[in-house]
Amino acid sequence: MKIAVTGKGGVGKTVISALLTKYFSKLGDTLAVDADPDSNLADVLGVEVEKTVSDVVDELYMKKYEIEDKDRWFEAKINEVIHEDEFDLIVMGKKEREGCYCYINSLLKKIMQKVVDYYDYVVVDCEAGIEILSRKTIDFVDAILVVVNKSKLSRDTAERIKKLVKELGIQAKVVVVGNKGAKGDFVIPFSEKIEECLELGKPLELFDDVRKSIEDLVEGLKS
Ligand SMILES: Nc1ncnc2c1ncn2[C@@H]1O[C@H](COP(=O)(O)OP(=O)(O)OP(=O)(O)O)[C@@H](O)[C@H]1O
Ligand SMILES: [Mg+2]
């Protein structure tokens, strides 16, 4: 099962991605991807990542006149950015740099397509908004979660994402996940334990007060 977690800024994408990652890691080979340049999934999962995809791309830029086949060079490097833990984690990292980002993005997309098939479960924590969908970086997913909270703005973003998925012809199941008790196809309750962890900067666990909702969500995605 390969899942992208999307939605407006601040609605709980990273929290839900982390909970899903913890849940899946007990079931099979799991890859978490932090595709948000302002990344914090690693922190929320309690993992220290040495190298991001963006670091490797920087390296590529510095050595670009020495490297003949850039695609092959990049492929050989990709293992360096897969952090291995009870689950694997890839952090895309920042995207600000000179030159055309389209090339880098197309490389990233190729890498993702290469590695995702090795995993039973993939969870992609996306950047807020719709850019990642319009760039088609996450074409491989079979489910797109659109996280909303109680604000109308988050529901408006959800509508835009749904429309875009249709327009782009992406063949993934789209479900709305109401976080902190908001309305949706699935609902994740507000969790004091999650709030406390994030306040203290402690890694998240699949706490009892959210476990059932994550199980229901995953079951729902299967049907
Ligand atoms: N189910 C929940 N229960 C309690 N607190 C939550 C829950 N979900 C999210 N939060 C709180 O909401 C805040 C925002 O969540 P999160 O960082 O996951 O949002 P995001 O959508 O990833 O934001 P961004 O767009 O900035 O990446 C977190 O700091 C966390 O404290
Ligand atoms: Mg986030």
Side-chain angles (χ1 to χ4, degrees):
M1 187 181 286
K2 299 178 172 74
I3 301 176
V5 184
T6 67
K8 196 176 162 45
V11 289
K13 299 178 293 298
T14 301
V15 164
I16 292 172
S17 300
L19 296 174
L20 284 168
T21 301
K22 293 272 170 161
Y23 179 73
F24 287 137
S25 66
K26 301 279 183 274
L27 303 180
D29 286 340
T30 302
L31 172 70
V33 180
D34 187 345
D36 185 350
D38 184 19
S39 54
N40 51 16
L41 180 64
D43 295 331
V44 172
L45 285 166
V47 170
E48 235 174 84
V49 171
E50 282 180 13
K51 207 175 227 183
T52 68
V53 176
S54 171
D55 293 334
V56 174
V57 175
D58 281 347
E59 224 179 294
L60 171 71
Y61 264 72
M62 276 186 317
K63 294 182 181 165
K64 65 181 166 188
Y65 301 109
E66 298 160 33
I67 302 164
E68 274 175 28
D69 185 338
K70 292 190 175 57
D71 282 5
R72 271 189 66 183
W73 181 88
F74 202 87
E75 255 177 54
K77 281 266 165 188
I78 204 65
N79 278 342
E80 292 182 16
V81 298
I82 301 182
H83 176 92
E84 290 177 13
D85 214 290
E86 54 184 302
F87 45 81
D88 287 359
L89 174 65
I90 297 180
V91 177
M92 294 300 186
K94 66 174 178 12
K95 64 177 176 185
E96 300 86 20
R97 65 173 57 78
E98 287 173 29
C100 177
Y101 189 62
C102 309
Y103 171 65
I104 299 162
N105 198 70
S106 74
L107 276 180
L108 295 185
K109 188 175 162 185
K110 267 188 217 158
I111 301 298
M112 299 276 276
Q113 282 164 344
K114 265 214 155 57
V115 301
V116 289
D117 287 337
Y118 294 113
Y119 295 92
D120 303 315
Y121 302 99
V122 178
V123 179
V124 187
D125 179 16
C126 297
E127 185 179 3
I130 57 175
E131 194 183 339
I132 192 159
L133 289 170
S134 47
R135 284 180 186 275
K136 293 201 165 192
T137 314
I138 50 163
D139 265 6
F140 59 85
V141 297
D142 32 52
I144 296 175
L145 310 191
V146 190
V147 184
V148 296
N149 57 18
K150 285 180 181 162
S151 85
K152 168 145 188 337
L153 291 177
S154 74
R155 291 198 302 276
D156 291 347
T157 302
E159 286 310 312
R160 275 203 296 280
I161 290 173
K162 280 193 196 167
K163 197 164 158 247
L164 187 66
V165 168
K166 225 182 220 164
E167 281 168 12
L168 294 172
I170 298 173
Q171 299 294 316
K173 184 170 185 167
V174 182
V175 300
V176 174
V177 179
N179 192 21
K180 301 187 199 176
K183 269 191 211 149
D185 302 319
F186 298 92
V187 177
I188 309 291
F190 176 85
S191 158
E192 280 178 13
K193 287 192 177 139
I194 289 177
E195 192 181 48
E196 191 187 313
C197 269
L198 289 161
E199 266 176 29
L200 301 173
K202 290 204 297 203
L204 285 194
E205 292 302 329
L206 190 54
F207 299 116
D208 287 345
D209 55 356
V210 284
R211 176 181 291 277
K212 173 85 171 56
S213 65
I214 292 292
E215 280 168 5
D216 289 348
L217 168 59
V218 173
E219 278 312 306
L221 292 176
K222 284 184 197 160
S223 59

